[in-house]
Amino acid sequence: MQTSLDTAAGALSLPQPYLLFLGDTTESGFAKTAYGLRDWAPEKCVGEYALPAAKVSTGLKVLTPAEAAAKGARSLLIGVANSGGIIPASWIPALAEALEAGLDIVSGMHVRLSDVPGLAELAERLGRQLIDVRDPPRNLLIGNGRKRSGKRLLTVGTDCALGKKYTALAISRAFADRGVDVDFRASGQTGIMIAGGGIPMDAVISDFEAGAAEMLSPDADPAHWDIVEGQGSLLHPAYAAVSLGLLHGSQPDVIVVCHQPGREQMLGTPGYAVPSIEEAIDLNLRLGARTNAAIRCGGVSFNTSHLGEEEAIALMASESERLGLPVADPIRGGEAFARLVDNCLA
Amino acid sequence: MQTSLDTAAGALSLPQPYLLFLGDTTESGFAKTAYGLRDWAPEKCVGEYALPAAKVSTGLKVLTPAEAAAKGARSLLIGVANSGGIIPASWIPALAEALEAGLDIVSGMHVRLSDVPGLAELAERLGRQLIDVRDPPRNLLIGNGRKRSGKRLLTVGTDCALGKKYTALAISRAFADRGVDVDFRASGQTGIMIAGGGIPMDAVISDFEAGAAEMLSPDADPAHWDIVEGQGSLLHPAYAAVSLGLLHGSQPDVIVVCHQPGREQMLGTPGYAVPSIEEAIDLNLRLGARTNAAIRCGGVSFNTSHLGEEEAIALMASESERLGLPVADPIRGGEAFARLVDNCLA
C-alpha cells in the first residue's frame, strides 16, 4: 500500500520515518496511536523511545533520538494520549533531546507543541519543526465541484467511532494486495500519522470543508483508487456538517457504510437513536449523487468486536441476505471481507 | 422587532448604536451594508461619516466621530466594501479619529483591523475594541442535539445569494407587526451588523458548526420565535456543510425556501444546475427532521427583482398553485407575502 500524499498538493505532509514516543505511559489503552502506526505503517517507524516509568511497548526496537536519527528517522512522533491531552513537564527533556538530535516533533495532543514551555524557542534555534496534526493546512480553497479523474471510495457511518478509519485502511491494504494502485487518504489525526499526511477535516473552517476534501483526493490516473477515511455521520446532530462536506468533496464512486450492531444511541447525544443501515445508505447515496451521479454502495462494514465469532458470522450472513449487499468485519477478514472488497472493485 | 442577542450567550455582541463609515466610496453598489443598516436597523444608526472624496450617502445625519460619540454612538461601523476587501491607507486617519473620540470599530472587511498599520497599538492605548465580524466567538461547544424551548424559523435556499437574509428580516418584521415576540438571528456578517450580534456560521470550524447554531438560537419562551438567517444550500457542492450544520443546530419548526426563478446554474460551480424547489423542500425537511421531527415548510420566497410586476405576480400565483404552498417576494410584499407569513405562524 502506498500512503504518500505527494500528489495531494496542500495537504499536510509529515517528516518520515518516525521514532515513536511513548512518554511515561503505563496503560496500553493510551498507546493506541503507536500501536496503529506499528500495525498499519511499520515501514514508517524506525523504533520506539520511552521514559523509564513507561510500562507499554510496541515491540519495535528501542532507540534514543540520536540513534534513531542515525538510522534515518526524521521526526519524533508522540504515539500516546492521556486523559487531558496535555504534554506533562516530565516529557519535555525527551522532546528537547529529540530536537537536539535533529528530529522534528509530530503531535496530535490537544495542547499545541508551541505552547509547551521552551520548546518553540529551541526548535526555532535549531531550525526544527513542531507539527500539530490537528492544524489544517492554511492554503485551503472553496470547493468547485469539478469532477476529478481517478476512482474514490469513502467510508461513511451510522454513527461516530465505529470503524471508518480501520475499514478504510483494511480496504486500502486489500486493494493493494490485488495489485490495485491505491492511496489511503486520511481525514483524522491518527489516520494522518499512519498515512504520513492528510487533512484533519473536523478542524477545517466550514466554508472550506468540501474544498478541503477536494484537495485531499486530487486528480489521479483513471485506474487509481483513493480510499478516503470518513468522519462522523450524516445523521449525527453534532457532526453531520463534517460528513456532508467530506462526502461532497470526495465525490466517491463507492461508499462503504460502517455500523456497530447493537449500538442503540448516537455517541454523545442522548435521545438520538442510531439510524438503520438502509437509512444511512440511502441518505449518503442521495446526497453524494450531487457531486457524483454514479455513486453506489459497495457493502457494509460491521464492527463485531463485542460478539463471539459464531454469532458475528451468522449475523453478517443474515444482514447480507436482508440488505442484498456484502457485509463483513474487516478485523475478522475472511471470505465475507473478500466479497466486500470484490464488490467495491466490481 | 427586537434584535438584541442578550440571551444568546456566547454569540458576538456589537457595541451600538453605530456611526456608519462610508470611506471614499463613489459607487453605491459598494455601500450595500450601510444601506442595509439604514433600512433594517435605523434605531442603531446615529449618523454617517465619510471622507471628502465619497459620493455615496445613506441620507442619515452627517456627524464627525466626536459628534456621534456625544450623541451616544459606541462604534464606527465600516459600512462599505471594495473589490479587495482591504482597508486603504486613506481611511486610517478617520479610523484613528474614531478611536480617539471613544468609539470602537466594527468591520466585515477581509483584512483584519488589527493588521491595519498602527490601529491595534492605538486601540490598545485608548482601551478601545477592534471587532472583526468575520471572527466567530471563541467559546463554541460541540452540538448536543437537545430540543430547546421556543419556536424557530430558518430560511434555506436552492442556491446561495438569492435572498435568505432579506427574507428572514422581512419575516421578522412581519411577525413583530403581528405582535409576535421575535428575534432575528444573524448568521452572516451583514446580518450580524443589522442584528447587533450573531455568529458568522461560514467561519466556524466544522466540528462546531451545529453547536454554534445551537448557541445562536438559545432556549426561549414557548411563544417566542427566532427567525434564523440561512446560509448556502444543502445542494451546493461547496457550501452544503455550512447549511446542514445550521439546519441541524437551528432545529427549525418552520423552513422558508428561497429561490430565484430563472437562475439555472449554481453560483460559482459551473455545470451544477439549480435544483427544483421541491427537491430543496424535501431534502431540508428530511434532514431537518433529525433534530426536529415536527419541521414543516411554511412557504417559498421568490427573488423576482429581474421580473416585471405583472409577470412576477402571475408566476408566484401559478407556482403557489403547483406547490400547494404560499409563494411570495418579500420585497414586493402584498397579499401573497401576508399569506406566507400567516402560514408560517399557523
Side-chain angles (χ1 to χ4, degrees), chain A residues 270-301:
Chain A
Y272 283 88
V274 171
S276 71
I277 298 167
E278 298 92 312
E279 168 76 357
I281 293 173
D282 185 65
L283 200 54
N284 275 281
L285 293 182
R286 177 169 175 184
L287 291 166
R290 185 66 176 152
T291 56
N292 186 348
I295 188 172
R296 67 184 174 90
C297 180
V300 178
S301 173

mmCIF file of all heavy atoms in Angstrom, chain A residues 270-301:
data_model
loop_
_atom_site.group_PDB
_atom_site.id
_atom_site.type_symbol
_atom_site.label_atom_id
_atom_site.label_comp_id
_atom_site.label_asym_id
_atom_site.label_seq_id
_atom_site.Cartn_x
_atom_site.Cartn_y
_atom_site.Cartn_z
ATOM 1 N N PRO A 270 -27.665 12.116 23.838
ATOM 2 C CA PRO A 270 -28.726 11.288 24.431
ATOM 3 C C PRO A 270 -30.069 11.533 23.746
ATOM 4 O O PRO A 270 -30.403 12.672 23.406
ATOM 5 C CB PRO A 270 -28.775 11.771 25.887
ATOM 6 C CG PRO A 270 -27.485 12.481 26.136
ATOM 7 C CD PRO A 270 -27.021 12.996 24.810
ATOM 8 N N GLY A 271 -30.816 10.456 23.544
ATOM 9 C CA GLY A 271 -32.132 10.584 22.924
ATOM 10 C C GLY A 271 -32.109 10.396 21.422
ATOM 11 O O GLY A 271 -33.176 10.334 20.801
ATOM 12 N N TYR A 272 -30.932 10.315 20.817
ATOM 13 C CA TYR A 272 -30.849 10.111 19.370
ATOM 14 C C TYR A 272 -30.516 8.651 19.080
ATOM 15 O O TYR A 272 -29.433 8.169 19.421
ATOM 16 C CB TYR A 272 -29.795 11.027 18.744
ATOM 17 C CG TYR A 272 -30.302 12.443 18.608
ATOM 18 C CD1 TYR A 272 -30.157 13.352 19.646
ATOM 19 C CD2 TYR A 272 -30.968 12.834 17.455
ATOM 20 C CE1 TYR A 272 -30.661 14.639 19.530
ATOM 21 C CE2 TYR A 272 -31.462 14.125 17.332
ATOM 22 C CZ TYR A 272 -31.313 15.016 18.372
ATOM 23 O OH TYR A 272 -31.810 16.276 18.245
ATOM 24 N N ALA A 273 -31.453 7.952 18.447
ATOM 25 C CA ALA A 273 -31.232 6.555 18.090
ATOM 26 C C ALA A 273 -30.275 6.460 16.906
ATOM 27 O O ALA A 273 -30.280 7.322 16.019
ATOM 28 C CB ALA A 273 -32.562 5.903 17.733
ATOM 29 N N VAL A 274 -29.460 5.420 16.910
ATOM 30 C CA VAL A 274 -28.633 5.131 15.736
ATOM 31 C C VAL A 274 -29.576 4.791 14.582
ATOM 32 O O VAL A 274 -30.498 3.991 14.749
ATOM 33 C CB VAL A 274 -27.671 3.959 16.020
ATOM 34 C CG1 VAL A 274 -26.964 3.508 14.751
ATOM 35 C CG2 VAL A 274 -26.655 4.358 17.092
ATOM 36 N N PRO A 275 -29.382 5.407 13.416
ATOM 37 C CA PRO A 275 -30.291 5.138 12.295
ATOM 38 C C PRO A 275 -30.074 3.732 11.744
ATOM 39 O O PRO A 275 -29.065 3.088 12.023
ATOM 40 C CB PRO A 275 -29.885 6.188 11.260
ATOM 41 C CG PRO A 275 -28.450 6.471 11.563
ATOM 42 C CD PRO A 275 -28.306 6.343 13.056
ATOM 43 N N SER A 276 -31.026 3.297 10.936
ATOM 44 C CA SER A 276 -30.874 1.995 10.292
ATOM 45 C C SER A 276 -29.780 2.074 9.230
ATOM 46 O O SER A 276 -29.452 3.154 8.724
ATOM 47 C CB SER A 276 -32.192 1.581 9.629
ATOM 48 O OG SER A 276 -32.434 2.395 8.496
ATOM 49 N N ILE A 277 -29.232 0.922 8.900
ATOM 50 C CA ILE A 277 -28.212 0.860 7.839
ATOM 51 C C ILE A 277 -28.806 1.357 6.524
ATOM 52 O O ILE A 277 -28.170 2.106 5.773
ATOM 53 C CB ILE A 277 -27.703 -0.588 7.690
ATOM 54 C CG1 ILE A 277 -27.033 -1.032 8.992
ATOM 55 C CG2 ILE A 277 -26.747 -0.717 6.517
ATOM 56 C CD1 ILE A 277 -26.780 -2.533 9.062
ATOM 57 N N GLU A 278 -30.058 0.967 6.244
ATOM 58 C CA GLU A 278 -30.702 1.376 4.988
ATOM 59 C C GLU A 278 -30.819 2.893 4.893
ATOM 60 O O GLU A 278 -30.622 3.483 3.839
ATOM 61 C CB GLU A 278 -32.105 0.760 4.861
ATOM 62 C CG GLU A 278 -32.129 -0.756 4.818
ATOM 63 C CD GLU A 278 -32.303 -1.368 6.199
ATOM 64 O OE1 GLU A 278 -31.581 -0.962 7.145
ATOM 65 O OE2 GLU A 278 -33.162 -2.250 6.323
ATOM 66 N N GLU A 279 -31.176 3.522 6.030
ATOM 67 C CA GLU A 279 -31.300 4.981 6.047
ATOM 68 C C GLU A 279 -29.942 5.627 5.752
ATOM 69 O O GLU A 279 -29.856 6.598 4.992
ATOM 70 C CB GLU A 279 -31.833 5.434 7.422
ATOM 71 C CG GLU A 279 -31.759 6.919 7.727
ATOM 72 C CD GLU A 279 -32.801 7.758 7.020
ATOM 73 O OE1 GLU A 279 -33.577 7.195 6.228
ATOM 74 O OE2 GLU A 279 -32.814 8.984 7.238
ATOM 75 N N ALA A 280 -28.883 5.099 6.370
ATOM 76 C CA ALA A 280 -27.546 5.662 6.138
ATOM 77 C C ALA A 280 -27.130 5.475 4.678
ATOM 78 O O ALA A 280 -26.561 6.381 4.061
ATOM 79 C CB ALA A 280 -26.530 5.012 7.078
ATOM 80 N N ILE A 281 -27.401 4.306 4.123
ATOM 81 C CA ILE A 281 -27.066 4.064 2.708
ATOM 82 C C ILE A 281 -27.829 5.046 1.829
ATOM 83 O O ILE A 281 -27.260 5.749 0.985
ATOM 84 C CB ILE A 281 -27.409 2.616 2.285
ATOM 85 C CG1 ILE A 281 -26.504 1.611 3.006
ATOM 86 C CG2 ILE A 281 -27.282 2.451 0.765
ATOM 87 C CD1 ILE A 281 -26.886 0.143 2.769
ATOM 88 N N ASP A 282 -29.144 5.104 2.035
ATOM 89 C CA ASP A 282 -29.992 5.911 1.167
ATOM 90 C C ASP A 282 -29.606 7.388 1.223
ATOM 91 O O ASP A 282 -29.507 8.059 0.195
ATOM 92 C CB ASP A 282 -31.457 5.725 1.583
ATOM 93 C CG ASP A 282 -32.402 6.450 0.651
ATOM 94 O OD1 ASP A 282 -32.460 6.055 -0.529
ATOM 95 O OD2 ASP A 282 -33.049 7.419 1.085
ATOM 96 N N LEU A 283 -29.364 7.899 2.415
ATOM 97 C CA LEU A 283 -29.053 9.323 2.558
ATOM 98 C C LEU A 283 -27.692 9.655 1.956
ATOM 99 O O LEU A 283 -27.529 10.680 1.282
ATOM 100 C CB LEU A 283 -29.101 9.694 4.044
ATOM 101 C CG LEU A 283 -29.263 11.171 4.379
ATOM 102 C CD1 LEU A 283 -30.474 11.766 3.685
ATOM 103 C CD2 LEU A 283 -29.380 11.338 5.897
ATOM 104 N N ASN A 284 -26.701 8.782 2.174
ATOM 105 C CA ASN A 284 -25.385 9.029 1.585
ATOM 106 C C ASN A 284 -25.430 8.979 0.062
ATOM 107 O O ASN A 284 -24.790 9.790 -0.608
ATOM 108 C CB ASN A 284 -24.363 8.016 2.121
ATOM 109 C CG ASN A 284 -23.762 8.472 3.438
ATOM 110 O OD1 ASN A 284 -22.863 9.316 3.449
ATOM 111 N ND2 ASN A 284 -24.254 7.950 4.555
ATOM 112 N N LEU A 285 -26.208 8.027 -0.486
ATOM 113 C CA LEU A 285 -26.298 7.937 -1.947
ATOM 114 C C LEU A 285 -27.014 9.158 -2.513
ATOM 115 O O LEU A 285 -26.601 9.736 -3.519
ATOM 116 C CB LEU A 285 -27.014 6.651 -2.369
ATOM 117 C CG LEU A 285 -26.275 5.343 -2.073
ATOM 118 C CD1 LEU A 285 -27.074 4.145 -2.591
ATOM 119 C CD2 LEU A 285 -24.866 5.344 -2.659
ATOM 120 N N ARG A 286 -28.086 9.569 -1.834
ATOM 121 C CA ARG A 286 -28.847 10.711 -2.341
ATOM 122 C C ARG A 286 -27.998 11.986 -2.321
ATOM 123 O O ARG A 286 -27.949 12.732 -3.295
ATOM 124 C CB ARG A 286 -30.102 10.911 -1.493
ATOM 125 C CG ARG A 286 -30.902 12.129 -1.926
ATOM 126 C CD ARG A 286 -32.258 12.173 -1.279
ATOM 127 N NE ARG A 286 -32.943 13.417 -1.644
ATOM 128 C CZ ARG A 286 -34.117 13.767 -1.165
ATOM 129 N NH1 ARG A 286 -34.757 12.958 -0.327
ATOM 130 N NH2 ARG A 286 -34.672 14.908 -1.523
ATOM 131 N N LEU A 287 -27.322 12.253 -1.202
ATOM 132 C CA LEU A 287 -26.533 13.478 -1.101
ATOM 133 C C LEU A 287 -25.245 13.379 -1.920
ATOM 134 O O LEU A 287 -24.812 14.351 -2.527
ATOM 135 C CB LEU A 287 -26.231 13.788 0.369
ATOM 136 C CG LEU A 287 -27.463 14.210 1.179
ATOM 137 C CD1 LEU A 287 -27.172 14.176 2.679
ATOM 138 C CD2 LEU A 287 -27.915 15.620 0.780
ATOM 139 N N GLY A 288 -24.652 12.191 -1.942
ATOM 140 C CA GLY A 288 -23.417 12.016 -2.704
ATOM 141 C C GLY A 288 -23.626 12.150 -4.201
ATOM 142 O O GLY A 288 -22.720 12.559 -4.935
ATOM 143 N N ALA A 289 -24.836 11.826 -4.662
ATOM 144 C CA ALA A 289 -25.121 11.906 -6.095
ATOM 145 C C ALA A 289 -25.006 13.339 -6.623
ATOM 146 O O ALA A 289 -24.864 13.559 -7.820
ATOM 147 C CB ALA A 289 -26.512 11.345 -6.392
ATOM 148 N N ARG A 290 -25.039 14.309 -5.700
ATOM 149 C CA ARG A 290 -24.922 15.702 -6.139
ATOM 150 C C ARG A 290 -23.593 15.964 -6.845
ATOM 151 O O ARG A 290 -23.539 16.742 -7.788
ATOM 152 C CB ARG A 290 -25.045 16.631 -4.914
ATOM 153 C CG ARG A 290 -25.052 18.113 -5.253
ATOM 154 C CD ARG A 290 -26.289 18.477 -6.035
ATOM 155 N NE ARG A 290 -26.390 19.909 -6.313
ATOM 156 C CZ ARG A 290 -27.021 20.420 -7.364
ATOM 157 N NH1 ARG A 290 -27.622 19.630 -8.230
ATOM 158 N NH2 ARG A 290 -27.082 21.712 -7.558
ATOM 159 N N THR A 291 -22.507 15.318 -6.365
ATOM 160 C CA THR A 291 -21.205 15.558 -6.998
ATOM 161 C C THR A 291 -20.702 14.338 -7.782
ATOM 162 O O THR A 291 -19.687 14.440 -8.466
ATOM 163 C CB THR A 291 -20.131 15.962 -5.957
ATOM 164 O OG1 THR A 291 -20.043 14.940 -4.949
ATOM 165 C CG2 THR A 291 -20.491 17.289 -5.292
ATOM 166 N N ASN A 292 -21.386 13.205 -7.670
ATOM 167 C CA ASN A 292 -21.038 12.038 -8.479
ATOM 168 C C ASN A 292 -22.286 11.190 -8.680
ATOM 169 O O ASN A 292 -22.653 10.384 -7.822
ATOM 170 C CB ASN A 292 -19.933 11.212 -7.805
ATOM 171 C CG ASN A 292 -19.452 10.082 -8.711
ATOM 172 O OD1 ASN A 292 -20.080 9.768 -9.734
ATOM 173 N ND2 ASN A 292 -18.332 9.472 -8.350
ATOM 174 N N ALA A 293 -22.903 11.377 -9.851
ATOM 175 C CA ALA A 293 -24.181 10.718 -10.118
ATOM 176 C C ALA A 293 -24.044 9.197 -10.116
ATOM 177 O O ALA A 293 -25.023 8.480 -9.922
ATOM 178 C CB ALA A 293 -24.749 11.198 -11.451
ATOM 179 N N ALA A 294 -22.813 8.684 -10.307
ATOM 180 C CA ALA A 294 -22.610 7.235 -10.408
ATOM 181 C C ALA A 294 -22.339 6.583 -9.057
ATOM 182 O O ALA A 294 -21.977 5.408 -8.988
ATOM 183 C CB ALA A 294 -21.452 6.940 -11.369
ATOM 184 N N ILE A 295 -22.494 7.312 -7.980
ATOM 185 C CA ILE A 295 -22.195 6.757 -6.645
ATOM 186 C C ILE A 295 -23.013 5.501 -6.370
ATOM 187 O O ILE A 295 -24.183 5.409 -6.754
ATOM 188 C CB ILE A 295 -22.459 7.834 -5.552
ATOM 189 C CG1 ILE A 295 -21.961 7.358 -4.175
ATOM 190 C CG2 ILE A 295 -23.930 8.216 -5.487
ATOM 191 C CD1 ILE A 295 -22.025 8.457 -3.102
ATOM 192 N N ARG A 296 -22.374 4.513 -5.715
ATOM 193 C CA ARG A 296 -23.094 3.291 -5.321
ATOM 194 C C ARG A 296 -22.536 2.792 -3.991
ATOM 195 O O ARG A 296 -21.456 3.193 -3.574
ATOM 196 C CB ARG A 296 -22.971 2.203 -6.397
ATOM 197 C CG ARG A 296 -21.567 1.674 -6.549
ATOM 198 C CD ARG A 296 -21.455 0.654 -7.701
ATOM 199 N NE ARG A 296 -20.057 0.295 -7.875
ATOM 200 C CZ ARG A 296 -19.467 -0.733 -7.235
ATOM 201 N NH1 ARG A 296 -20.155 -1.514 -6.413
ATOM 202 N NH2 ARG A 296 -18.186 -0.995 -7.425
ATOM 203 N N CYS A 297 -23.275 1.906 -3.349
ATOM 204 C CA CYS A 297 -22.819 1.334 -2.080
ATOM 205 C C CYS A 297 -22.131 0.000 -2.349
ATOM 206 O O CYS A 297 -22.738 -0.905 -2.920
ATOM 207 C CB CYS A 297 -23.991 1.145 -1.121
ATOM 208 S SG CYS A 297 -23.485 0.433 0.469
ATOM 209 N N GLY A 298 -20.872 -0.120 -1.947
ATOM 210 C CA GLY A 298 -20.107 -1.344 -2.191
ATOM 211 C C GLY A 298 -20.336 -2.418 -1.145
ATOM 212 O O GLY A 298 -20.005 -3.580 -1.352
ATOM 213 N N GLY A 299 -20.898 -2.030 -0.011
ATOM 214 C CA GLY A 299 -21.141 -3.005 1.043
ATOM 215 C C GLY A 299 -21.144 -2.347 2.404
ATOM 216 O O GLY A 299 -21.056 -1.125 2.519
ATOM 217 N N VAL A 300 -21.252 -3.200 3.430
ATOM 218 C CA VAL A 300 -21.393 -2.720 4.794
ATOM 219 C C VAL A 300 -20.295 -3.340 5.655
ATOM 220 O O VAL A 300 -20.025 -4.539 5.559
ATOM 221 C CB VAL A 300 -22.789 -3.087 5.345
ATOM 222 C CG1 VAL A 300 -22.940 -2.634 6.791
ATOM 223 C CG2 VAL A 300 -23.883 -2.474 4.464
ATOM 224 N N SER A 301 -19.647 -2.497 6.471
ATOM 225 C CA SER A 301 -18.593 -2.961 7.363
ATOM 226 C C SER A 301 -19.126 -2.991 8.790
ATOM 227 O O SER A 301 -19.573 -1.965 9.301
ATOM 228 C CB SER A 301 -17.388 -2.021 7.260
ATOM 229 O OG SER A 301 -16.409 -2.360 8.224
#
